[in-house]
Amino acid sequence: MASQLETKWLLLLDMKRKWVLMPIYGVIVLLIPISFACKPLTPDTNDDKQVNTLTNVAIYEQNNGRQPVQAKLFAKIALGYELIGQEHKASKLLIPAIQTSEKNQSLYIKSGLLEELGIIYIKMGEYDKALQTAKSLQIYESSEKNIPLKRIAVKMAEAVQYNKALTIASLVSVNGVSSSYEPIVVSRSTTEANIAIFYARAGQKQKAAQVLAQAFEKADSKAEKAFIAVSYAQVGQKAKALQILSDASQNALTTHDKTAIAVSYAQLGEKAIAEKLLAEAFEQLNQQKKRDDYSLANIAISYASIGKFGQAFATAKLIKNYASPEDYKNALYVTPDGLISGAMSTDVFAEIAKKSAAEGKFEQALEIAKYIKWTGNKAEAISKIAVEYAKVGKYEQAFNIIKDLTENGGIHRDEALSKIAVQHGIKRQYKEAFQLIQKVRSENYKTEALSRIVEQARLKEPANVAIQVLSQAMETAQTLNRHEKVDALTMLAINYIKLGQKDKAETLLAQSLRIAENINQ
């Protein structure tokens, strides 16, 4: 019988991709009442054309919910206005997001805006409103609410609002939900375990242990218990963590249970026990009449997770249906060197290669990457290896391996370049960072890189140096398309506020608002 975690994934066996994991990710409906006054906003300056009265009414008073991009941009700008003390304008700017989350027909859009609103309320210090946002989700299924609730709860804990964070965690279903965007199954128990870590960091280790004990009682799978065990070690109770893993391993029936426990053992420094459990899982799989490719891939990736890359590589090569004749037959095209167009959500060789590179085993990672048979997965793996090269200062090697990446218009090349630029920023090599950003063609990746470099400078540099970095970032931000420009200028405004440059921030927020109001014209 499959474990609780396994049952939360759909295994697609008949759509060109073998053992492709697709998360069951739900969405949310907003139930927060609108209580804000609806009065059109008037930009302070006229660098861009101002919207007319009818457009203002449509945006702020009678929003039809069909412009979610604009609504999300307004919500981000609202945070900036809140931070400079213009609460009334901030409240009005949140109205389109609230109305869109009520009226839009897409559940995906509703959930995205709801999560954005909850987190923005927390950043504004409006903790009760964030809590109310979370409480409105409790009537929905676990697949629809767990992940957004978990993210809001963690942000609440980061804001030192522990009781409210635990209240939100109590709304998460006991049954776990898995997603490729989350490292573990998201359930009530794992969400509470996340919050316990914040208690421990604040010096409240007794409370952390109490929360973990409550979380453990709710754990619905061996994978959840293994995660909680690691959390116990993080709050200083390694003996308790090892006891939990020992008890769990004695009752582990499935290969997935054993791999989850093995990885947790390795995280606690017990790699010999971890390797033994993975060997048992492999032997259990071999005794089955028909060996399951998904389970084999899981064991291979788990070997890589504990640093046993040779075993990981050897196990992965045993998968029979990886890049099968049917995959080649159904491919849109096959490259001259035998790669299939497209990508799998989880490619076993790509995962092993990325983990190998993260441990500094670059030649091994590149060798493993040769076995990847999908163009997108190979490009992603190569870009990750390049970033790991950059982290240790091997920029020439990084650039050499990404220069020919052209998959999806070179998107993975752009991703690598943007992240290498961030590495330059971390090393305070700002000239090199901004020069590299200019080579990035994807404006989304440009914006992400600018945000991380600016944040790094603000936190680590003296104010005068940080302001110089923000000024350099501004030059690039002004060249972006309208959507990315609003994101970048708003991000810069918020960082200027935190550096005490309120006037500069207000100018940028006004520009962002003018662009956002006209973005659909």
Side-chain angles (χ1 to χ4, degrees), residues 227-245:
F227 175 78
I228 293 170
V230 175
S231 300
Y232 265 112
Q234 291 176 318
V235 303
Q237 296 194 30
K238 185 175 180 181
K240 176 72 172 178
L242 291 173
Q243 185 60 54
I244 290 173
L245 292 178

Side-chain angles (χ1 to χ4, degrees), residues 145-364:
K145 69 181 182 180
N146 278 18
I147 292 173
L149 282 172
K150 178 257 184 178
R151 292 174 178 170
I152 296 171
V154 168
K155 286 295 181 183
M156 192 72 85
E158 287 178 0
V160 200
Q161 299 293 311
Y162 303 127
N163 289 336
K164 287 183 172 64
L166 286 174
T167 299
I168 296 171
S170 71
L171 305 177
V172 179
S173 296
V174 172
N175 296 330
V177 173
S178 296
S179 166
S180 58
Y181 300 105
E182 295 288 336
I184 58 163
V185 60
V186 178
S187 66
R188 187 178 303 172
S189 65
T190 58
T191 303
E192 289 179 346
N194 275 302
I195 296 168
I197 301 302
F198 287 96
Y199 272 114
R201 290 174 184 170
Q204 300 183 46
K205 292 192 175 182
Q206 185 175 355
K207 180 64 175 179
Q210 178 185 339
V211 172
L212 285 174
Q214 295 170 353
F216 187 78
E217 291 178 1
K218 303 179 183 80
D220 195 44
S221 69
K222 294 293 191 300
E224 291 169 84
K225 291 179 179 179
F227 175 78
I228 293 170
V230 175
S231 300
Y232 265 112
Q234 291 176 318
V235 303
Q237 296 194 30
K238 185 175 180 181
K240 176 72 172 178
L242 291 173
Q243 185 60 54
I244 290 173
L245 292 178
S246 177
D247 293 344
S249 62
Q250 292 176 17
N251 300 312
L253 300 178
T254 69
T255 59
H256 189 91
D257 286 344
K258 290 177 180 177
T259 56
I261 296 166
V263 171
S264 291
Y265 262 122
Q267 289 176 317
L268 300 185
E270 304 291 340
K271 290 194 174 182
I273 300 176
E275 193 170 359
K276 180 176 180 293
L277 278 170
L278 290 180
E280 290 177 7
F282 182 77
E283 181 59 30
Q284 179 179 337
L285 197 60
N286 274 338
Q287 291 175 2
Q288 296 178 5
K289 291 183 179 180
K290 185 176 181 181
R291 194 158 57 191
D292 174 21
D293 280 348
Y294 163 72
S295 297
L296 201 57
N298 186 39
I299 292 171
I301 293 172
S302 297
Y303 267 124
S305 296
I306 71 169
K308 296 296 180 180
F309 300 108
Q311 292 96 319
F313 192 24
T315 304
K317 288 191 288 187
L318 296 174
I319 296 173
K320 290 184 178 180
N321 289 320
Y322 177 82
S324 68
E326 183 183 355
D327 289 316
Y328 280 96
K329 180 181 178 181
N330 293 329
L332 292 176
Y333 68 90
V334 177
T335 67
D337 51 350
L339 296 182
I340 303 169
S341 62
M344 294 191 294
S345 62
T346 303
D347 183 292
V348 62
F349 292 107
E351 292 302 310
I352 297 170
K354 290 185 288 186
K355 293 179 185 297
S356 181
E359 293 296 319
K361 300 181 181 297
F362 298 112
E363 296 304 319
Q364 184 180 55

